[in-house]
Amino acid sequence: MRIQLNGEPLDLPDGETVAALLTRLELAGRRVAVELNLDIVPRSQHAETTLNDGDSVEVVHAIGGG
């Protein structure tokens, strides 16, 4: 299947989850926000949220500051 990741096409195996995508991107365990088709996916749902062909995913790194 093909998704859009931060505006770029990315081919993934069918049934890939958000958690698996973050592992693939070496972002597992990091402070990131994931938006799937304009909806935020809570961290608690990363493992059970399956991606589908044509999905749009935005992954944003959380940056602290003050």
Side-chain angles (χ1 to χ4, degrees):
M1 75 173 159
R2 179 170 281 195
I3 66 166
Q4 290 290 315
L5 175 63
N6 294 344
E8 299 291 327
L10 178 66
D11 292 319
L12 297 172
D14 290 343
E16 186 97 333
T17 63
V18 170
L21 174 62
L22 293 176
T23 297
R24 180 184 302 276
L25 298 173
E26 298 181 357
L27 295 174
R30 298 200 183 197
R31 293 179 54 103
V32 295
V34 179
E35 182 181 278
L36 173 59
N37 300 324
L38 303 178
D39 291 320
I40 298 295
V41 179
R43 182 181 301 271
S44 63
Q45 295 179 13
H46 286 182
E48 61 197 44
T49 301
T50 304
L51 301 170
N52 297 298
D53 189 52
D55 278 348
S56 177
V57 179
E58 296 288 327
V59 178
V60 180
H61 299 266
I63 299 175

